[in-house]
């Protein structure tokens, strides 16, 4: 297929930050930014996603179709809503321009990028994209939800309810069963006329479930298909480590024409087996399938893009620092409206923010604002494993503190008034560990939640952004920080290695084991702080602010390397 005749692509995904309330991670940024970038290249990209019980009503999306599917042994009715992609997620008028008359797929074919929302009670979890499943049944609720969603998308495509597409682009394990249906089930053979692309945003989450023996299992979802799958299912459905378990991530890898990793370095890392004890996260059990795809020249690493319009780098000021502290306090207070009682984590954060505000008010107007170290990200092992390890000093002696405490001690020594503002929500156990550190160090403010405007202020107001991920398929936080003129200190893995050049556009550390990674991080942090306010610091800061990873360039690579 040539670039000239690529006309329309269907992006199938769980998240989409073009819509309010549909973002959890970096996938949402991709699904938000990719369609307009592709449109500039003459390719129209529609999005199919669950409604989650609220999106269609919020945007007054039009009821487009009703479909019937056989799922879990019974017939289910699913509503399909559609709307033009809004120019911004606050634009509630986009669907008003559509005719009240239900449009046919042929009429939709000539329309601008559309969003299709699939509505069913199984998709609704109190306005949340994902469920917090039980530890003994991982992914159970979400896997059932996305199995039904995949069946709905495949049905709409094979029955010509959706427009005709040249490319079917599936994102992460949530959409991977569309690839399974089209390849392993006779009824969906016609879908193989499309090029199928599979993007891996996070290989660590694979959606593994039993083949049978559970209400959330393949045989329970698809009893009509379970006993008559094509032979290829034997090498594509099952997890290579667990004999009676299916692996949606593996389905996407094996059964798609092209597999896309979201950075070139990460595309190489996943070809090697993981060694968590040594702090290396690679193929996570699927390295053989990925290596086979690479051998076929069908595995591609393309870095994600970032939006740069109207986002100039900003210079820190005392006024910005005071406004940032106020915003942080208001954000933590706002979170209290959603909980029955104030948590110890929030109490500590509010006390620290109050202390900082008082100290800032007493500071002489001629003095510069304190050094501000910032970090924004989900509370997952991926993001904080290195920080919460016991600290091994440069002489090889284990200290009775964590790497994070060692960092904070170094910050206190180099910048006595400096502070780390850490914003993130996620794993409760990790939050408790960070709470314990925050209670001991007056230069750490841990805010357990997420507020978009607060995160923007952290990107714009910080002096140094910290991102010590154990692995990072692409990463967007480092791009957002650099865009705002804030240099970064990162672990040189995946997309972080591809976007930051050590001592040029930021700083990085490495380490051949988990303990050495912690040691190297603290040592590198000490070296970087020694450069503060020097010409070398200014050169790196200036270079960081000039880096550009545009979606326009990324879209051209998609068309050339994935959509052919």
């Amino acid at each position: 297929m040539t670039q000239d005749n690529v006309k329309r692509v269907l992006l199938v995904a769980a998240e989409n930050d073009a819509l309010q309330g549909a973002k959890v991670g970096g996938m949402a940024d991709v699904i938000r930014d990719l369609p307009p970038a592709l449109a500039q290249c003459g390719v129209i990209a529609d999005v199919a996603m669950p409604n989650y019980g609220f999106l269609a009503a919020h945007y007054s999306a039009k009821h487009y179709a009703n479909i019937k599917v056989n799922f879990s042994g019974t017939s289910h009715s699913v509503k399909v809503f559609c709307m033009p992609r809004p120019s911004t997620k606050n634009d509630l008028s986009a669907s008003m321009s559509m005719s009240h008359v239900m449009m046919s797929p042929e009429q939709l074919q000539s329309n601008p990028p559309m969003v299709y929302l699939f509505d069913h009670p199984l998709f609704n979890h109190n306005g949340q994209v994902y469920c917090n499943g039980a530890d003994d049944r991982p992914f159970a609720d979400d896997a059932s939800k996305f199995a039904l969603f995949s069946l709905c998308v495949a049905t709409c495509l094979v029955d010509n309810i959706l427009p005709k597409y040249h490319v079917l682009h599936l994102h992460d394990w949530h959409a991977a069963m569309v690839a399974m249906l089209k390849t392993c089930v006779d009824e969906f053979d016609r879908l193989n006329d499309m090029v199928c692309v599979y993007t891996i945003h996070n290989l660590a989450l694979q959606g593994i479930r039993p083949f049978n023996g559970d209400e959330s299992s393949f045989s329970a979802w698809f009893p009509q298909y379970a006993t008559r799958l094509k032979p290829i299912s034997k090498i594509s459905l099952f997890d290579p480590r667990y004999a009676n378990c299916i692996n949606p991530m593996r389905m996407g890898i094996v059964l798609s024409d092209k597999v896309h990793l979201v950075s070139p370095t990460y595309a190489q890392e996943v070809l090697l087996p993981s060694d968590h004890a040594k702090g290396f996260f690679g193929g996570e059990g699927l390295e053989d399938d990925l290596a086979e795809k690479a051998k076929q020249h069908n595995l591609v690493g393309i870095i994600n893009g970032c939006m740069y319009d109207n986002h100039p780098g900003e210079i820190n000021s005392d006024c910005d620092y005071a406004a940032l502290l106020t915003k942080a306090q208001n954000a933590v207070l706002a979170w209290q409206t959603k909980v029955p009682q104030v948590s110890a984590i929030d109490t500590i954060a509010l006390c620290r923010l109050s202390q900082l505000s008082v100290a800032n008010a007493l500071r002489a107007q001629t003095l510069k604002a304190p050094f501000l170290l910032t970090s924004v990200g989900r509370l997952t092992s991926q993001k904080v494993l290195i920080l919460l390890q016991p600290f091994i000093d440069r002489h090889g002696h284990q200290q009775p503190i964590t790497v994070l405490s060692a960092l904070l001690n170094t910050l206190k020594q180099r910048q006595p008034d400096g502070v780390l503002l850490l914003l993130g929500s996620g794993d409760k156990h990790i939050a408790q560990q960070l709470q314990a550190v925050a209670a001991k160090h007056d230069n750490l403010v841990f805010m357990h939640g997420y507020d978009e405007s607060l995160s923007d202020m952290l990107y714009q107001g910080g002096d140094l952004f910290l991102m010590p991920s154990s692995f990072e398929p692409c990463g967007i936080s480092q791009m957002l920080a650099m865009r705002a003129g804030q240099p970064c200190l990162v672990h040189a893995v995946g997309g972080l290695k591809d976007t930051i050049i050590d001592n040029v556009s930021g700083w990085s550390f490495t380490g051949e084991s988990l303990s050495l990674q912690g040691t190297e991080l603290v040592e590198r942090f000490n070296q970087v702080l020694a450069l503060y306010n020097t010409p070398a610091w200014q050169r790196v800061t200036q270079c960081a602010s000039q880096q550009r990873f545009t979606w326009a360039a990324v879209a051209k690579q998609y068309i050339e390397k994935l959509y052919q």
Side-chain angles (χ1 to χ4, degrees), residues 202-429:
N202 190 344
L203 189 57
L205 300 176
Q206 301 178 5
I208 300 171
R209 293 300 301 153
F211 182 77
N212 52 31
D214 191 285
E215 65 179 1
S216 177
S217 66
F218 189 93
S219 294
W221 302 325
F222 306 120
Q224 70 273 36
Y225 305 139
T227 58
R228 54 187 185 91
L229 295 168
K230 295 180 181 180
I232 193 174
S233 66
K234 295 180 180 179
I235 60 169
S236 58
L237 265 65
F238 293 92
D239 187 276
R241 298 153 294 185
Y242 312 109
N244 189 46
C245 288
I246 61 160
N247 186 322
M249 180 69 74
R250 190 184 193 201
M251 297 177 197
I253 293 169
V254 176
L255 300 176
S256 296
D257 299 306
K258 297 283 183 72
V259 175
H260 165 227
L261 283 303
V262 289
S263 72
T265 293
Y266 190 58
Q268 296 302 310
E269 291 171 348
V270 299
L271 302 180
L272 301 174
S274 299
D275 190 338
H276 296 172
K278 291 187 177 181
F280 177 73
F281 294 77
E284 296 294 280
L286 300 179
E287 55 274 1
D288 290 343
D289 295 313
L290 290 160
E292 180 62 28
K293 216 71 178 180
K295 188 185 301 182
Q296 299 166 1
H297 305 290
N298 288 326
L299 187 139
V300 181
I302 303 173
I303 195 78
N304 288 337
C306 182
M307 301 300 289
Y308 290 94
D309 293 346
N310 303 317
H311 286 98
E314 297 186 12
I315 304 299
N316 301 338
S317 68
D318 291 339
C319 180
D320 290 337
Y321 179 68
L324 174 56
L325 295 178
T326 300
K327 176 60 184 177
Q329 287 177 305
N330 290 338
V332 178
L333 287 170
W335 298 336
Q336 307 315 308
T337 64
K338 303 177 182 179
V339 294
Q341 59 187 20
V342 179
S343 70
I345 294 174
D346 291 340
T347 299
I348 294 169
L350 288 170
C351 287
R352 295 295 186 218
L353 289 166
S354 179
Q355 292 168 351
L356 292 172
S357 295
V358 170
N360 188 57
L362 296 175
R363 185 175 293 108
Q365 293 185 354
T366 56
L367 296 179
K368 188 181 183 299
F371 183 92
L372 183 58
L373 180 65
T374 64
S375 186
V376 178
R378 290 278 296 167
L379 297 187
T380 64
S381 180
Q382 168 197 356
K383 303 289 186 180
V384 301
L385 179 63
I386 296 174
L387 289 176
L388 296 177
Q389 290 298 303
F391 175 58
I392 310 293
D393 65 25
R394 70 180 71 179
H395 304 295
H397 301 140
Q398 181 171 320
Q399 301 299 314
I401 58 174
T402 62
V403 171
L404 178 55
S405 287
L407 274 175
L408 294 167
N409 291 340
T410 302
L411 178 61
K412 179 72 75 174
Q413 293 166 5
R414 287 284 187 179
Q415 294 287 336
D417 294 329
V419 61
L420 165 59
L421 295 185
L422 191 160
L423 175 68
S425 62
D427 188 285
K428 294 180 180 179
H429 178 65

Side-chain angles (χ1 to χ4, degrees), residues 111-146:
N111 269 23
M114 304 292 289
V115 179
Y116 295 93
L117 301 168
F118 290 75
D119 187 68
H120 185 276
L122 195 61
F123 303 157
N124 306 343
H125 299 284
N126 300 315
Q128 301 297 311
V129 174
Y130 304 122
C131 306
N132 293 318
D135 291 340
D136 60 339
R137 296 178 72 238
F139 301 110
D141 291 335
D142 279 341
S144 295
K145 171 173 65 185
F146 292 115

